[in-house]
């Protein structure tokens, strides 16, 4: 395992410079595991900050201040909901790393690709599959 960690790419450029046949090898998986774990910690910190902010909201005497505080509270609750959904996606991606499914499209089984995973480490669909899904959604929503 120490050899795996030692050879893990430290930068996106190092990751992208790896040969195509190295796709989702142990070093690449470790790179994404570390990235996802860092994202997870950040999301947990953000959720805790929202909780703290919600607990510290004051009781404003002025009606306009109360309305403003309520609007802020609703915004913080929406942010918390979004962060919770992201946390679930991160945990699912970490699970896919453990099961060996990470980096492969859940619809086609094709590689998702390093550039897409770097942009969105929680991606479960290849660009092509995502575009097909969005085109289908677009047809049904018009």
């Amino acid at each position: 395992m120490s050899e795996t960690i030692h050879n893990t790419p430290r930068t996106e450029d190092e990751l992208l410079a790896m040969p195509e046949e190295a796709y989702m090898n142990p070093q690449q998986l470790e790179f994404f595991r570390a990235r996802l774990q860092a994202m997870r910690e950040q999301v947990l910190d953000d959720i805790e900050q929202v909780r703290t902010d919600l607990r510290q909201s004051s009781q404003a005497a002025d009606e306009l201040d109360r309305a403003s505080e309520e609007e802020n509270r609703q915004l913080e609750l929406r942010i918390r909901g979004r962060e919770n959904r992201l946390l679930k996606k991160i945990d699912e991606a970490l699970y896919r790393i453990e099961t060996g499914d990470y980096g492969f499209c859940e619809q086609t089984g094709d590689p998702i690709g390093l550039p897409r995973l770097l942009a969105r480490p929680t991606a479960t669909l290849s660009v092509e599959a995502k575009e097909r899904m969005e085109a289908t959604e677009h047809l049904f929503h018009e």
Side-chain angles (χ1 to χ4, degrees):
M1 185 68 172
S2 62
E3 182 178 322
T4 299
I5 293 173
H6 177 71
N7 293 330
T8 299
R10 292 181 300 276
T11 67
E12 291 182 7
D13 288 338
E14 287 179 13
L15 183 80
L16 292 169
M18 295 179 88
E20 192 173 310
E21 59 271 6
Y23 188 72
M24 291 301 116
N25 67 12
Q27 293 81 16
Q28 290 184 357
L29 289 171
E30 183 58 35
F31 177 91
F32 284 107
R33 179 183 291 109
R35 179 164 282 199
L36 286 160
Q37 287 172 334
M39 286 174 63
R40 188 176 197 286
E41 289 302 314
Q42 181 62 53
V43 169
L44 289 172
D45 289 347
D46 292 347
I47 289 171
E48 186 55 37
Q49 183 60 50
V50 169
R51 282 184 185 142
T52 300
D53 292 347
L54 288 172
R55 280 192 299 263
Q56 291 177 351
S57 63
S58 65
Q59 295 298 326
D62 180 287
E63 194 172 314
L64 288 175
D65 288 342
R66 281 195 307 267
S68 178
E69 280 189 9
E70 181 59 27
E71 188 174 320
N72 286 339
R73 179 178 165 79
Q74 292 301 318
L75 176 62
E76 287 175 345
L77 288 171
R78 282 195 305 273
I79 290 169
R80 185 173 170 188
R82 187 173 59 231
E83 296 289 343
N84 281 327
R85 286 187 298 276
L86 178 57
L87 184 61
K88 183 176 185 251
K89 288 181 179 185
I90 291 169
D91 287 342
E92 289 169 352
L94 288 166
Y95 179 75
R96 286 192 308 277
I97 287 174
E98 296 306 315
T99 62
D101 296 324
Y102 185 79
F104 295 92
C105 179
E106 65 182 17
Q107 284 187 353
T108 66
D110 294 334
I112 291 173
L114 294 175
R116 177 154 169 77
L117 290 170
L118 287 169
R120 189 174 192 90
T122 58
T124 60
L125 300 173
S126 65
V127 171
E128 296 80 11
K130 182 70 172 170
E131 287 173 348
R132 279 193 305 274
M133 185 181 81
E134 288 172 353
T136 303
E137 287 174 355
H138 182 71
L139 286 174
F140 287 111
H141 286 91
E142 282 193 347

